[in-house]
């Protein structure tokens, strides 16, 4: 057989060279496997941005509720419930977008309220709260917390968690109308913050009492007549202990608040003017809260059929929202003599109230 150098080179390889090549190959294979593993592990930890932003853009549950009704209906709402429905989107607001995308705004937090609508029941508190919701610098709890009168033992942190998330520049507020007449509440709010701004929506006490009774009768049709509840038995003396009558004694309740807060921290809003001139009355509230006058005439639309203004979007051609299928109850016919007796009863309280706050509401 003829000798071939090439054949010899292919078949005669030193064992040491072969071991080196195998070793190098194993090292390279290990490095490649490690790099692939690292790449796969990293990609699994990168957030799915498309899914993230899709989630953020989806509508979230709004703890405040979502719908407001006409002013007269709002004046007759059930105070223990959030009277908003599901078909109202606040006009001209940008904070809903911030709330629904709270994952993108880590600066928002639950804060104790700096302002509280403390009363009165059947005065127009729900209407006022809904008007203020239109303001981008206001964040308000929807349902009434009843913290300072019914849930005080649950503590401030429980109360704070009920408040909607808000930014540092936004004002947080709530409303619970029974606060105004509850003896323990002024001291408790003062203990939370002596700088709290307090708003009281007042209304002709006689009309307010009838509205209060009408609401109660809608739940308990078998209750006695308004006339019989107004007087103590058959004595003919007004029963000031009946809550429907007692709430309208505004001066008596105010004395308790002034023991803890100066008059400068209280604002008294006219329930009647919330119907006749809502923009003007809300302007006073915005000034009191040191807010820009954002909520103006453009947010209200007078409905000639219903006889009162409703809320609307300030831009576009959207339909004004006037709700109230279960509200705006028709008042019963009350004996005119009983109404007159009530007016005489309230006169000294009204006059004292006018003197205390420096304003005559003209209810007499």
């Amino acid at each position: 057989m003829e000798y071939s150098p090439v054949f010899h080179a292919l078949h005669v390889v030193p064992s040491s060279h072969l071991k080196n090549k195998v070793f190098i190959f194993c090292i390279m294979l290990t490095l490649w496997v490690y790099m692939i593993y690292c790449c796969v592990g990293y990609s699994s930890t990168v957030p799915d941005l498309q899914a993230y932003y899709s989630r953020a853009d989806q509508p979230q549950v709004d703890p405040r509720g979502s719908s407001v009704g006409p002013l007269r209906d709002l004046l007759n709402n059930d105070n223990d419930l959030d009277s908003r429905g599901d078909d109202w989107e606040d006009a001209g607001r940008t904070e809903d977008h911030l709330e629904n995308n709270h994952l993108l705004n880590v600066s928002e937090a639950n804060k104790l309220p700096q302002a509280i609508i403390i009363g009165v029941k059947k005065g127009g508190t729900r209407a006022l709260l809904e008007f203020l919701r239109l303001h981008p610098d206001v964040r308000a709890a929807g349902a009434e917390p009843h913290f300072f009168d019914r849930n005080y033992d649950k503590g401030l942190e429980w109360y704070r968690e009920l408040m909607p998330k808000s930014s540092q520049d936004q004002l947080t507020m709530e409303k619970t109308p029974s606060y105004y007449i509850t003896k323990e509440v002024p001291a408790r709010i003062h203990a939370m913050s002596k700088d709290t701004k307090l708003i009281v929506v007042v209304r002709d006490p006689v009309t307010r009492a009838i509205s209060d009774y009408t609401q109660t009768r809608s739940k308990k049709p078998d209750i006695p007549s308004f006339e019989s509840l107004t007087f103590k038995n058959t004595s003919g003396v007004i029963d000031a202990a009946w809550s429907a009558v007692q709430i309208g004694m505004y001066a008596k309740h105010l004395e308790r608040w002034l023991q803890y807060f100066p008059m400068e921290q209280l604002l008294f809003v006219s329930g009647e003017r919330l119907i006749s001139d809502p923009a003007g009355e809300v302007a006073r509230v915005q000034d009191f809260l040191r807010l820009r006058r954002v909520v103006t005439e453009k947010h209200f639309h007078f409905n000639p059929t219903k006889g009162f203004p409703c809320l609307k979007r300030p831009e576009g051609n959207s339909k004004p929202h006037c709700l109230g299928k279960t509200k705006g109850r028709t008042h019963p016919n009350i004996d005119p003599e009983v109404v007159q007796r009530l007016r005489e009863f309230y006169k000294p309280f009204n006059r004292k109230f006018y003197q205390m706050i420096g304003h005559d509401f003209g209810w007499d």
Side-chain angles (χ1 to χ4, degrees):
M1 181 177 181
E2 185 177 358
Y3 176 77
S4 172
V6 175
F7 179 84
H8 179 76
L10 292 173
H11 289 81
V12 183
V13 179
S15 60
S16 61
H17 290 175
L18 180 60
K19 291 180 179 179
N20 289 340
K21 289 183 178 181
V22 172
F23 179 72
I24 293 172
F25 175 78
C26 291
I27 292 176
M28 294 179 64
L29 180 61
T30 301
L31 290 174
W32 276 106
V33 171
Y34 179 75
M35 291 175 64
I36 293 173
Y37 173 80
C38 291
C39 290
V40 172
Y42 175 76
S43 64
S44 67
T45 61
V46 175
D48 185 349
L49 295 181
Q50 183 175 2
Y52 177 83
Y53 285 108
S54 296
R55 260 196 327 271
D57 289 335
Q58 290 175 357
Q60 306 294 315
V61 175
D62 185 352
R64 302 172 306 148
S66 61
S67 180
V68 292
L71 306 195
R72 183 175 298 166
D73 294 344
L74 291 169
L75 291 176
N76 289 316
N77 73 297
D78 295 341
N79 284 305
D80 293 343
L81 302 174
D82 182 352
S83 64
R84 308 180 78 197
D86 297 323
D87 56 347
W88 169 262
E89 295 179 8
D90 290 341
R93 297 189 67 130
T94 58
E95 84 220 57
D96 284 339
H97 176 73
L98 293 175
E99 181 178 31
N100 292 342
N101 295 279
H102 64 274
L103 291 175
L104 304 180
N105 190 348
V106 296
S107 65
E108 291 191 341
N110 300 93
K111 298 185 299 186
L112 291 171
Q114 299 106 310
I116 303 176
I117 300 175
I118 60 175
V120 297
K121 181 183 179 183
K122 314 311 298 177
T125 58
R126 174 58 60 183
L128 178 60
L129 187 70
E130 299 311 328
F131 299 163
L132 293 175
R133 281 185 196 281
L134 302 177
H135 202 295
D137 297 334
V138 171
R139 303 292 286 114
E144 296 166 7
H146 282 281
F147 173 65
F148 294 103
D149 59 349
R150 301 179 187 173
N151 298 299
Y152 195 64
D153 59 329
K154 296 181 179 179
L156 281 175
E157 285 309 308
W158 177 87
Y159 183 48
R160 188 198 305 271
E161 288 301 313
L162 292 181
M163 297 301 111
K165 292 187 180 297
S166 60
S167 67
Q168 184 177 359
D169 297 330
Q170 289 177 317
L171 180 140
T172 301
M173 66 185 305
E174 65 115 322
K175 76 102 176 171
T176 303
S178 55
Y179 287 167
Y180 187 65
I181 64 169
T182 305
K183 295 179 180 179
E184 300 82 7
V185 172
R188 291 173 176 178
I189 293 181
H190 187 270
M192 177 189 72
S193 173
K194 59 183 178 61
D195 298 320
T196 306
K197 290 183 177 293
L198 308 167
I199 301 174
V200 189
V201 186
V202 290
R203 185 184 185 188
D204 181 335
V206 176
T207 306
R208 197 222 64 82
I210 297 173
S211 179
D212 198 338
Y213 170 81
T214 304
Q215 174 181 296
T216 303
R217 193 179 68 165
S218 70
K219 300 176 182 178
K220 302 176 181 178
D222 57 342
I223 64 171
S225 67
F226 180 87
E227 289 84 352
S228 62
L229 291 172
T230 300
F231 302 103
K232 293 181 179 180
N233 300 321
T234 58
S235 63
V237 177
I238 301 291
D239 187 0
W242 182 33
S243 62
V245 172
Q246 186 185 73
I247 292 174
M249 300 158 63
Y250 303 136
K252 179 179 178 181
H253 306 301
L254 179 57
E255 289 175 344
R256 208 163 37 237
W257 287 91
L258 294 180
Q259 294 176 17
Y260 295 90
F261 295 94
M263 187 64 77
E264 293 75 21
Q265 280 178 238
L266 288 97
L267 178 69
F268 294 88
V269 176
S270 168
E272 287 83 8
R273 280 178 57 82
L274 283 178
I275 294 176
S276 63
D277 182 19
E281 204 65 3
V282 172
R284 292 182 59 238
V285 179
Q286 291 175 104
D287 292 346
F288 173 70
L289 297 176
R290 297 184 179 180
L291 297 169
R292 297 170 293 147
R293 286 193 177 186
V294 173
V295 184
T296 61
E297 292 85 355
K298 64 184 180 181
H299 290 95
F300 302 97
H301 170 76
F302 185 81
N303 187 311
T305 302
K306 292 181 175 290
F308 47 82
C310 302
L311 293 173
K312 70 172 184 178
R313 292 179 180 275
E315 69 284 339
N317 297 317
S318 60
K319 182 180 178 181
H321 288 257
C322 297
L323 307 179
K325 293 180 180 179
T326 61
K327 299 176 174 57
R329 303 177 182 92
T330 301
H331 290 182
N333 293 322
I334 306 300
D335 185 339
E337 184 178 344
V338 174
V339 172
Q340 185 58 36
R341 289 284 301 278
L342 273 175
R343 294 210 174 278
E344 293 298 325
F345 170 81
Y346 279 122
K347 270 187 179 181
F349 293 102
N350 291 345
R351 289 171 182 171
K352 184 175 181 180
F353 183 59
Y354 299 159
Q355 293 173 356
M356 294 174 74
I357 68 173
H359 179 76
D360 187 338
F361 285 96
W363 295 323
D364 299 328

